[in-house]
Structure formats: structure tokens, C-alpha cells
Amino acid sequence: MNYYMGLDVGGTSIKGLVINEKGDILSEGCVPVEVGADLADTIEVLADELVQRLGVVFSQISGIGVCCPGLIDTTSGTVLFAGNLELKNYPLKKLLVEKFKLRVEVCNDANAAALGEAKFGVGKGYDNSIMITLGTGVGGGIVIDGKLFEGNKGAGTEVGHMVIEKGGLKCTCGRRGCFEVYCSARALTAKTKFEMEEDTGSDMWKTYTNDTADGKTAFEYMDSDKTAKRIVDWYINHLACGITNLANIFRPNIVMLGGGVAAQGSRLTAPLQKLVDKELFGGTDFAPVKIECASLGNRAGAYGAAALLF
């Protein structure tokens, strides 16, 4: 049996697992990211734990895949910039190869999540898929013919910074009208709070205040409150625009939604599917595009990191 280790580096912790070719989890763990600690050393701590729990030695591991936020040069395995981790031009692959004497692959966390879902999640069985994460920002990754599309030097695909409304709201990247400005959980929360202030008679005030309203609020009241329904419609229309743009360019078999907003399940995907089907170039008879919520949760990145070794 071959063993593949996947590690997902976050701002506060590193999640890891060891899987086989089928995606069965054979060992799993998590360690905190300590302020000031060297990332490669912290990874070594978790890798040691995973191997010990599995009851093997490192020479029996086929390789280690690592994903982390930020801009990654996948050719050299260097983290060019990861602000949350305070890393710049950090030679992660080189350091890990020196430590473990194993094959090491490194990529961006959003790309890894896309690959994980494509290989072992809701995208399993499809050759072409797109993953969109609806969290603090909007991220994503693209898998073509079963392989991760990473662009020049693994720069990735910043789907969140595709403009869907020319001259629209200003994004943190400096452009206006970005997908992220309208479809992140943060954007949905901001829209909800604004509309609540505009309609003080909304039922949403029964449970929430301007401080506690979040991305779930409007969905909770959409069936009974016209303001909440308007917010949800606004959000889903913008999301459909971005997804249709990507679908018309790449024509994937499936678009997978992850992140906090995707927890709404069919309340999100059912109306979204109708809008995308309506706007899709050539219609659904030509080449339909399914829209489903991702299934691997916070394991997607580690799964995808391990899949880099396949």
C-alpha cells in the first residue's frame, strides 16, 4: 500500500492526514502555528505525529504535499508571499526535502481544496471541475482533465478578482466590481446590515442586531421577510453572474461551492442552478454544468495536498 501525506497550513493551525490511493484516511492530526516559530519545524512536528500514529517510518511514505495561503511558486516550492503567516520568499519545498528526504509538492490552499474535492469529494468522477470558496473572500481553483490548472509558475486562479460589475464597489485589491466584493460572506454580511438599517421593520431585527447579523441572517428569514428575500436574491444573482462567466470559459462538468455561505445547501444551489442554466451559453442541452456544495469540509485542502503526489 502507498501512503500519501497531505498538510494544510492555515493562519492558526496546520491540519494533516495520510491517505491511500482510494482516499481512505489512515492517520490524521492537527498542530497549532506558534507565533515566531519556523514553519518547516512546525510541519515536522505534525508529520512525525502522523507517521507514528500510522505505525510506519518516513521511508514508507510516498511523499508529502503541502498547501498554504498566499502566492506560491510551484516550480520551486517557494512561498513568495503569505501575509497571515508573515512569510516572504520562504523556500518551503527545499527545507522539507532536506528534513524528510522525500518527494515534496507545494501549492496554494484554494487550488488544493479544488483538487481535493475533484479527486475525493463531490467532484469525484468528473474530468473538469471548478471550486469556488465563499468565505471572508472569494477563492477558487480549476481542475482540467483531472489535473490542477495553476497558471504561470503556479500563480493560481484569482477568481475572486474577476470583475462582474464594471465600475462597481471597490475591492481590497484596488479594482472595482470584483466577484469578491459581491459574493464573499463579508459582502453578504455588509449587504444584510445595510438593508436592515434601511428597513427597521424587518423581521430580522427580532433575532439580530446590526452587530450580530451575518451571512446566515437573510437566508434564515428569506421565506417570511421581503427585505431578507431581496438580500438573498441580490446575492444569488451576483453569484450566478460570476459562476456563469467561469462556466462559459471553462465549461466544467461541475462547479463546487465551499466556504461558510455554502452551508446553506439547496437554499443556495437550487435557485443558483436555475439562473446559471438560463444564462449558460448554448444552454444545458449542449453541455450542462452542475452546481453542488462541496463535501469534504475543512479536510479538502489536506486531501488536495496529498493528491498532488498522485
Side-chain angles (χ1 to χ4, degrees):
M1 180 185 292
N2 292 323
Y3 303 111
Y4 305 92
M5 184 180 294
L7 306 174
D8 182 0
V9 179
T12 59
S13 67
I14 304 175
K15 296 180 287 292
L17 47 75
V18 178
I19 62 173
N20 58 20
E21 294 94 336
K22 296 179 181 178
D24 299 321
I25 297 177
L26 308 174
S27 179
E28 187 171 19
C30 180
V31 297
V33 173
E34 303 290 346
V35 177
D38 182 75
L39 178 58
D41 290 342
T42 305
I43 285 175
E44 184 177 21
V45 171
L46 178 55
D48 284 339
E49 288 185 11
L50 293 173
V51 167
Q52 288 175 20
R53 290 174 186 170
L54 187 60
V56 300
V57 294
F58 271 105
S59 61
Q60 293 175 268
I61 302 294
S62 298
I64 300 174
V66 185
C67 68
C68 67
L71 186 61
I72 315 294
D73 181 343
T74 56
T75 303
S76 65
T78 299
V79 182
L80 300 177
F81 179 75
N84 290 345
L85 297 170
E86 298 183 357
L87 295 179
K88 189 174 182 180
N89 296 321
Y90 184 79
L92 181 57
K93 180 174 180 176
K94 178 182 176 182
L95 293 172
L96 295 183
V97 169
E98 291 174 354
K99 282 182 178 293
F100 301 113
K101 305 298 188 292
L102 294 172
R103 177 187 170 194
V104 175
E105 300 295 340
V106 181
C107 81
N108 171 268
D109 56 353
N111 283 340
L115 185 60
E117 285 288 347
K119 295 294 186 182
F120 304 110
V122 72
K124 186 177 181 179
Y126 297 109
D127 291 330
N128 305 295
S129 60
I130 295 177
M131 172 86 168
I132 299 174
T133 54
L134 307 169
T136 304
V138 172
I142 299 167
V143 175
I144 300 174
D145 292 333
K147 297 180 180 179
L148 190 61
F149 174 74
E150 295 180 286
N152 186 24
K153 285 193 172 183
T157 49
E158 289 293 340
V159 300
H161 299 288
M162 161 185 64
V163 170
I164 63 170
E165 190 163 317
K166 180 67 174 175
L169 298 172
K170 190 170 184 180
C171 181
T172 54
C173 75
R175 302 182 78 196
R176 287 188 174 276
C178 287
F179 195 14
E180 180 171 300
V181 180
Y182 296 92
C183 296
S184 65
R186 179 164 46 189
L188 178 54
T189 298
K191 178 67 172 177
T192 300
K193 290 182 176 182
F194 175 81
E195 294 294 342
M196 284 175 65
E197 289 290 346
E198 291 293 299
D199 180 11
T200 55
S202 168
D203 286 347
M204 291 184 285
W205 288 105
K206 293 178 180 178
T207 307
Y208 295 94
T209 68
N210 193 268
D211 293 326
T212 60
D214 57 22
K216 303 185 296 291
T217 304
F219 278 94
E220 288 181 21
Y221 281 91
M222 62 181 287
D223 296 327
S224 61
D225 184 276
K226 67 180 189 308
T227 298
K229 180 66 165 58
R230 186 169 65 247
I231 294 166
V232 171
D233 288 347
W234 173 90
Y235 180 80
I236 290 177
N237 272 282
H238 282 89
L239 185 57
C241 177
I243 289 176
T244 305
N245 288 347
L246 292 170
N248 283 341
I249 295 169
F250 295 100
R251 208 63 178 214
N253 302 98
I254 185 170
V255 173
M256 308 169 292
L257 303 180
V261 181
Q264 297 300 324
S266 61
R267 290 168 68 83
L268 175 68
T269 57
L272 190 57
Q273 184 77 67
K274 289 181 180 179
L275 285 173
V276 173
D277 287 350
K278 182 180 178 181
E279 297 179 8
L280 196 63
F281 182 78
T284 57
D285 291 338
F286 169 57
V289 177
K290 291 182 65 177
I291 300 174
E292 293 193 22
C293 292
S295 62
L296 297 179
N298 61 12
R299 288 187 174 121
Y303 261 115
L308 292 170
L309 304 162
F310 284 25

